[in-house]
Amino acid sequence: MKRIEDVHTFQAYSEPLISVLASLPAEEKVILVGHSLGGVTLALAADKFPQKISVAVFVTAFMPDTTHRPSFVLEQYCEKIGKEDDSWLDTQFSQCDESNPSHISMLFGREFLTIKLYQLCPPEDLELAKMLLRPGSMFIDNLSKASKFSDEGYGSVKRVYLVCEEDIGLPKHFQHWMIQNYPVNEVMEIKGGDHMAMLSEPQKLCDCLSQISLKYA
């Protein structure tokens, strides 16, 4: 619930999930599902608590590897996708802290939401998203200085990637690039799903998660 200006590291940003996992009984396991930037939080959590995670599910999410710094897939996205003329549309980028110029916030624009993220969602969900917008950050500079995720931690956890075929914000070809970069145990596809698959194709997403729970839990 903090302002993004008061969240200086990705570790701090991910603290709510880390706290939940730390509170679980030793014998309890969970299925973690990460969406979009939440994929990096998923990797961080899996690196810290691999024994508590049955499977990590990436839903059209950024998926780090254990070879490069945690920022690598985000940097590749900015290089491959983010430099296109219309990539960010009316998204606003701002410096959060004068004492730390590399701490950059981002606020998705209404046009960006409409065209890139929610284009197949019910209009009421898009309008609600516009009302609830708040700044976030990709924490690229902070993640570029962090240690690599380990093979013994994050790398030991089973992973499933759910490709959303109609995602424009995180395009299908980039989702497949991440899968090639760091192969997973299983790939599933959500046909007709845009970036917000939980709103554009909720039943298909639910079916995928049900199948995953039966197979991996």
Side-chain angles (χ1 to χ4, degrees), residues 141-186:
D141 183 70
N142 174 251
L143 287 168
S144 71
K145 299 171 183 174
S147 300
K148 301 174 186 176
F149 295 124
S150 69
D151 290 326
E152 299 76 23
Y154 168 51
S156 69
V157 174
K158 293 177 181 177
R159 288 171 294 114
V160 177
Y161 200 101
L162 302 190
V163 174
C164 293
E165 294 197 334
E166 302 301 327
D167 191 341
I168 299 176
L170 193 62
K172 180 180 177 180
H173 67 83
F174 191 79
Q175 296 176 60
H176 280 289
W177 175 83
M178 289 188 288
I179 294 167
Q180 289 180 332
N181 176 64
Y182 195 46
V184 297
N185 296 84
E186 187 173 355

Side-chain angles (χ1 to χ4, degrees), residues 12-72:
Y13 176 78
S14 305
E15 185 56 37
L17 175 60
I18 301 303
S19 296
V20 169
L21 290 176
S23 70
L24 292 177
E27 69 281 1
E28 187 169 341
K29 282 194 167 191
V30 298
I31 294 173
L32 284 188
V33 183
H35 168 256
S36 198
L37 183 63
V40 187
T41 300
L42 195 54
L44 177 65
D47 207 47
K48 288 180 175 293
F49 300 103
Q51 74 283 0
K52 293 187 176 183
I53 301 171
S54 297
V55 60
V57 185
F58 294 78
V59 182
T60 188
F62 290 103
M63 184 173 64
D65 56 35
T66 57
T67 304
H68 305 88
R69 297 288 181 184
S71 60
F72 177 65

Side-chain angles (χ1 to χ4, degrees), residues 65-130:
D65 56 35
T66 57
T67 304
H68 305 88
R69 297 288 181 184
S71 60
F72 177 65
V73 290
L74 299 172
E75 291 164 344
Q76 288 296 302
Y77 176 82
C78 292
E79 181 69 28
K80 297 173 183 290
I81 310 296
K83 288 187 176 180
E84 296 174 2
D85 290 341
D86 66 342
S87 57
W88 295 108
L89 296 174
D90 53 346
T91 297
Q92 300 174 28
F93 295 88
S94 304
Q95 186 176 311
C96 289
D97 183 354
E98 289 186 4
S99 64
N100 182 15
S102 63
H103 187 199
I104 304 296
S105 71
M106 60 189 298
L107 179 64
F108 291 143
R110 296 166 73 90
E111 186 180 8
F112 183 83
L113 289 179
T114 303
I115 295 174
K116 299 273 188 170
L117 303 184
Y118 286 77
Q119 82 274 12
L120 298 177
C121 294
E124 59 268 27
D125 290 321
L126 170 60
E127 293 307 313
L128 182 60
K130 292 176 182 177

